[in-house]
Amino acid sequence: MSDQTPNDDRPTLTLPRRDALRLIGAAGALAAAAPLARAQTTPTAPAAMAPMNGNGFYRQKIGDMTVTVISDGTTPLAALLPTWGANPDRQAEFTQTLAEYHVAAANTVNHFNPVLIEQGGQRILIDTGRGGANGQLVTNMRRAGIEPDSVNTVFITHGHGDHIGGLTTTGKPTFANAQHVMGEAEFNFWATQANPNDAVKNNLIALKDRFRLIAPGQEIVPGLTSVPTPGHTANHLSVLAQSGGQGIMILGDAGGHFLISLKHQGAYVSFDTNGAQAAQTRQRIFNRIVTENLWVTGYHFPFHAIGHLRRLNARSYEYEPTLWNWS
């Protein structure tokens, strides 16, 4: 037999059967591996991840709770004094402390920091920011993956506009599925005024049927208790949240300024209703926070506004923000 086929002058290679089977097997293996190779080189969608801390929110695990400080933004503050340290005879003392801690006394900002607690499948929001065009609460909640409709309870520490302004959006409840809770005496003080301001009319009086009114020391929801902290307003309530042997005191405006109110016993803020009482309350609540080793957050503390207090001496405390954790 000829080694060439008709009309083809290319040589024909004849392989032994054993070698032919080897080649067929190798070809099959390559064919089987091809889809796997393509799969390994095809980009895959990244796994869904919880948003990292920052960009307007900061999460902290405390016991079985997740505590999220949510910034409502800032507003320009031309001069820190005398607003945040109002005692007229102590301005030089306060100025010296600001310089000692390298805290700007002029051309700075004021922070607004509502707090959201997640525990037992419930979401509890404490204070709601300014609302309106300046309010950043809802925007930053959504950046944290939290929709307003998912909030179960809203608690209001007191009736100032920068705490109640976010309760409504264009005339409708912002947190449509939430029960609203507030101290009875505080609510009634604002809601029964002869000429209430617009924030009160739109956010307290208009929503009065949504509110459950409580007494100082009463439970807000399981694990969260109201704490009487009068002085900033006559019936201001802070919040103690506890879980797994740990706790956090959410001060609202009972904390005052993060430096002056802590460092200087007797210091008060210009918009405290009763400055002397507010200063006494601060010393009492600061002592409790340190003694019980509680976490703390203050509504006007600089963001991320969460940490601990330490005692400097019998009359003086210092705020220690927690070390930032990106996740």
Side-chain angles (χ1 to χ4, degrees):
M1 178 181 292
S2 170
D3 289 336
Q4 294 181 346
T5 56
N7 302 320
D8 188 353
D9 57 359
R10 292 175 297 176
T12 299
L13 179 62
T14 303
L15 293 175
R17 176 178 175 82
R18 181 178 58 187
D19 292 337
L21 290 174
R22 285 177 180 170
L23 283 177
I24 292 171
L30 287 173
L36 178 61
R38 287 195 297 271
Q40 289 174 335
T41 58
T42 301
T44 58
M49 295 178 62
M52 295 198 327
N53 282 336
N55 203 14
F57 65 92
Y58 186 86
R59 287 188 176 96
Q60 178 67 50
K61 194 74 173 176
I62 299 176
D64 295 324
M65 303 179 290
T66 299
V67 178
T68 306
V69 180
I70 304 173
S71 174
D72 190 54
T74 63
T75 191
L77 185 63
L80 199 152
L81 298 173
T83 300
W84 287 99
N87 311 54
D89 58 338
R90 301 179 70 178
Q91 294 300 293
E93 177 187 348
F94 298 158
T95 299
Q96 182 178 352
T97 293
L98 294 175
E100 177 188 352
Y101 281 81
H102 304 283
V103 173
N107 299 318
T108 181
V109 296
N110 186 18
H111 294 255
F112 307 87
N113 296 302
V115 174
L116 186 132
I117 295 178
E118 296 174 271
Q119 66 166 359
Q122 299 290 301
R123 284 176 165 165
I124 305 98
L125 177 66
I126 301 168
D127 288 332
T128 65
R130 299 163 292 171
N134 293 323
Q136 298 297 307
L137 173 64
V138 170
T139 296
N140 287 329
M141 284 178 63
R142 285 179 168 146
R143 284 175 174 160
I146 301 167
E147 286 295 323
D149 286 352
S150 72
V151 174
N152 304 102
T153 304
V154 176
F155 179 76
I156 300 296
T157 60
H158 66 293
H160 284 162
D162 57 328
H163 295 254
I164 66 173
L167 279 168
T168 59
T169 302
T170 61
K172 297 180 180 180
T174 306
F175 308 98
N177 297 320
Q179 180 181 61
H180 296 33
V181 183
M182 191 172 179
E184 182 174 17
E186 182 75 10
F187 182 93
N188 288 338
F189 170 82
W190 295 100
T192 60
Q193 291 181 342
N195 296 296
N197 61 46
D198 286 344
V200 170
K201 287 191 290 187
N202 297 334
N203 297 284
L204 295 185
I205 296 173
L207 301 181
K208 65 181 186 298
D209 293 337
R210 301 180 71 92
F211 275 90
R212 176 170 64 92
L213 304 180
I214 64 172
Q218 189 173 340
E219 185 179 75
I220 301 166
V221 296
L224 274 70
T225 305
S226 64
V227 178
T229 46
H232 180 69
T233 62
N235 301 287
H236 185 288
L237 295 177
S238 297
V239 178
L240 175 63
Q242 296 174 298
S243 171
Q246 298 188 58
I248 179 170
M249 187 70 73
I250 300 156
L251 288 169
D253 280 0
H257 188 261
F258 79 99
L259 177 56
I260 293 174
S261 298
L262 282 152
K263 185 93 185 273
H264 298 279
Q265 184 176 14
Y268 59 88
V269 177
S270 64
F271 44 90
D272 287 336
T273 300
N274 184 327
Q277 184 184 40
Q280 292 171 359
T281 291
R282 285 171 186 136
Q283 287 295 305
R284 172 177 55 81
I285 204 71
F286 295 160
N287 178 67
R288 180 178 180 181
I289 290 166
V290 171
T291 301
E292 298 182 15
N293 193 29
L294 299 172
W295 286 80
V296 66
T297 182
Y299 193 77
H300 294 291
F301 286 13
F303 185 78
H304 52 317
I306 187 169
H308 290 87
L309 304 185
R310 73 184 184 103
R311 199 188 316 272
L312 298 178
N313 55 55
R315 298 164 53 90
S316 185
Y317 300 84
E318 191 171 68
Y319 167 59
E320 296 179 330
T322 192
L323 183 66
W324 185 281
N325 187 335
W326 281 106
S327 60

